[in-house]
Amino acid sequence: MGKLANQVAVVTGASKGIGAGIAKALAAEGAAVVVNYASSKEGADRVVAEIAGKGGKAVAVQADLAKPADVTRLFAETKKAFGRLDILVNNAGIYEFAPLEAITEEHFHKHFNLNVLGVLLAAKEAVKLFGPEGGSIINIGSGVSRITPATTAVYTASKGALDAITGVLAKELGPRKIRVNSINPGMIETEGVRGAGISDSDFRKWVETQAPLGRIGQTDDISPTAVYLASSDSKYMTGETLLVAGGLR
Ligand code: NAP
């Protein structure tokens, strides 16, 4: 039996990238998984089919996490599909970089509506579904909140806010046996990173020269840490921010 047998997980932004990797890893440990996506139905259906093909349970649910009504619907559909919730992975996020002179209100709100408000609203709904045995909330932050790279002020601010939220909610929800931790990845090769042109950039070369492990990461460098934080292996951990970044800090 897997470490997460009989548990139910919601993974936001799981149609591709880090979220898809985490959804598959949680399912491989026996969790039933809600694979959330915003627009890539095909990608989400592929993740669900892969999980089902290995004997796991998953459903795809569309919801734009930057829209409060969609967040509420995501958790209503989770309850309808699986009747309970034990694990929330707040992974959906965007990263667009801009130097100070290019920062606009739109750029700011786009990042904060999803990377910060979306996380808070998802946590609020998840907590209503967790049972008396509590649950685990895993926020996907970023190594940028420590590295603070130039031209990333808004994105890095959103992930810095997420580090703070992890600490605050860990204290607030601990008495209800709800653990809240963050994984802060370094540069991970994903569809998003490739689409933004970052995977062939000077930033990648900088990471490869600066990271003690000498390479950027892959999604399977992150997913085992999510399984660990979701499972009772980490039962005495909350409020932690784990850098998973090849040693780059
Ligand atoms: P990605 O390849 O761009 O995938 C993003 C996922 O989020 C997709 O499934 C996408 O769904 C979903 N998504 C986007 N906007 C959404 C919305 N409004 N509502 C719901 N889902 C939405 O991204 P990634 O590189 O895997 O990054 C995932 C997370 O890791 C982000 O929070 C990012 O900040 C963080 N992170 C990434 C890296 C990295 O180097 N890759 C490093 C540190 C931290 P659709 O396809 O349907 O739009």
Side-chain angles (χ1 to χ4, degrees):
M1 227 168 45
K3 283 180 180 184
L4 303 174
N6 305 317
Q7 303 218 1
V8 175
V10 168
V11 183
T12 68
S15 57
K16 52 170 93 107
I18 292 171
I22 291 175
K24 288 185 250 181
L26 297 179
E29 287 295 340
V33 181
V34 174
V35 175
N36 161 250
Y37 67 99
S39 56
S40 311
K41 182 175 188 313
E42 208 181 297
D45 286 344
R46 211 177 307 126
V47 173
V48 168
E50 209 175 303
I51 290 172
K54 291 185 174 158
K57 267 196 227 165
V59 292
V61 176
Q62 190 283 333
D64 179 343
L65 269 285
K67 294 187 178 157
D70 278 25
V71 177
T72 308
R73 182 173 48 74
L74 170 63
F75 289 89
E77 291 194 24
T78 298
K79 190 173 181 193
K80 207 159 100 188
F82 297 124
R84 58 179 287 147
L85 184 64
D86 306 278
I87 300 153
L88 166 65
V89 183
N90 277 315
N91 165 78
I94 49 160
Y95 37 88
E96 289 173 8
F97 305 148
L100 182 61
E101 62 273 19
I103 291 172
T104 60
E105 271 182 57
E106 196 216 346
H107 175 73
F108 176 86
H109 290 299
K110 198 171 162 191
H111 282 78
F112 273 73
N113 283 351
L114 177 62
N115 297 5
V116 181
L117 182 58
V119 166
L120 289 169
L121 295 180
K124 183 174 156 188
E125 293 302 319
V127 162
K128 293 183 200 163
L129 271 189
F130 287 154
E133 54 293 320
S136 174
I137 297 176
I138 301 164
N139 294 326
I140 307 301
S142 172
V144 297
S145 66
R146 281 176 79 141
I147 299 168
T148 61
T151 76
T152 69
V154 170
Y155 174 62
T156 296
S158 75
K159 293 301 188 180
L162 195 54
D163 291 351
I165 287 167
T166 293
V168 170
L169 292 187
K171 289 184 180 139
E172 204 168 315
L173 301 175
R176 295 166 69 178
K177 300 187 203 154
I178 298 168
R179 299 183 299 109
V180 187
N181 294 287
S182 278
I183 299 173
N184 285 5
M187 183 175 173
I188 306 298
E189 188 152 30
T190 63
E191 288 86 337
V193 158
R194 279 194 293 272
I198 310 168
S199 69
D200 299 319
S201 64
D202 288 345
F203 187 61
R204 178 192 182 135
K205 288 186 204 120
W206 180 81
V207 170
E208 286 167 343
T209 53
Q210 296 303 309
L213 293 182
R215 63 174 177 87
I216 66 163
Q218 301 298 320
T219 58
D220 67 359
D221 289 314
I222 301 299
S223 45
T225 308
V227 170
Y228 172 68
L229 289 175
S231 78
S232 62
D233 285 351
S234 60
K235 64 184 188 293
Y236 198 48
M237 281 176 65
T238 194
E240 295 296 340
T241 296
L242 300 184
L243 256 185
V244 184
L248 185 63
R249 63 187 62 231

